[in-house]
Amino acid sequence: MPILLIHGPNLSQLGHRDPAVYGTATLAEVVDTVRAVLPDVADYDSEREGDLVQRLHAARTDGTTAVIVNPGALSHYSYALRDALEQLDVPKVEVHLSQVHARERFRHHSVVSAVCHVTITGAGLFGYRLAAEAAVHLLEDRSQAFQAVTPPD
Ligand code: DQA
């Protein structure tokens, strides 16, 4: 039952990138944090929106049972990523390392949140453990998971 962990632009730079905001863990360490809860997690990252969209299309038929996604800055403006996530009929968990609501105004809104069942923001690396556990919880209680998604405006 593979769960897909997917990262968008600039998250490959974790460890070097603004450690006061994002912490010092590398992307590999982030993946290991999820793997500690979900040993079979499949991970994918790309700097390119289209690649992320295509990976989500593939997830529809490759047995993916849930998605954990940190889209990076695409969270704030990518309707393409949002639409790709919407098409996937599995539990979806959005995660951000930083507390986006305490940062620049453009980070306060995520266009993907409305098509994800859970959003975790500001818990740093620990947020990924929460995200993994949320994915397991949503898989165990699908009825609750699907009530949580509200139709977008
Ligand atoms: C981020 C927050 C985004 O605003 C930012 O563009 C990122 C990382 C986070 O994990 O805190 O790239 O998604």
Side-chain angles (χ1 to χ4, degrees):
M1 55 128 214
I3 292 177
L4 175 63
L5 172 63
I6 190 161
H7 282 98
N10 295 305
L11 293 163
S12 63
Q13 303 306 299
L14 289 174
H16 310 282
R17 179 188 180 192
D18 208 345
V21 173
Y22 296 114
T24 54
T26 63
L27 184 56
E29 289 167 332
V30 166
V31 174
D32 283 348
T33 297
V34 173
R35 198 156 275 143
V37 179
L38 303 168
D40 297 333
V41 74
D43 75 289
Y44 180 79
D45 74 283
S46 178
E47 310 303 329
R48 286 171 289 276
E49 182 182 32
D51 291 348
L52 296 162
V53 167
Q54 282 183 326
R55 182 63 189 87
L56 290 168
H57 290 173
R60 193 170 54 78
T61 52
D62 72 359
T64 293
T65 54
V67 174
I68 299 169
V69 58
N70 183 345
L74 293 173
S75 315
H76 311 302
Y77 66 88
S78 175
Y79 297 120
L81 197 64
R82 179 220 172 278
D83 285 355
L85 282 164
E86 186 181 34
Q87 291 171 60
L88 273 180
D89 192 20
V90 299
K92 287 158 278 190
V93 180
E94 175 188 9
V95 59
H96 300 283
L97 287 155
S98 65
Q99 174 47 290
V100 288
H101 301 291
R103 300 183 62 200
E104 301 95 322
R105 191 169 295 277
F106 77 87
R107 297 186 204 275
H108 295 186
H109 183 63
S110 164
V111 300
V112 308
S113 292
V115 294
C116 290
H117 302 89
V118 171
T119 298
I120 294 164
T121 183
L125 190 57
F126 182 63
Y128 281 86
R129 191 163 129 197
L130 296 175
E133 290 184 0
V136 171
H137 170 73
L138 292 170
L139 282 167
E140 285 169 357
D141 187 351
R142 299 282 296 245
S143 58
Q144 185 185 336
F146 288 96
Q147 273 173 13
V149 171
T150 54
D153 295 333

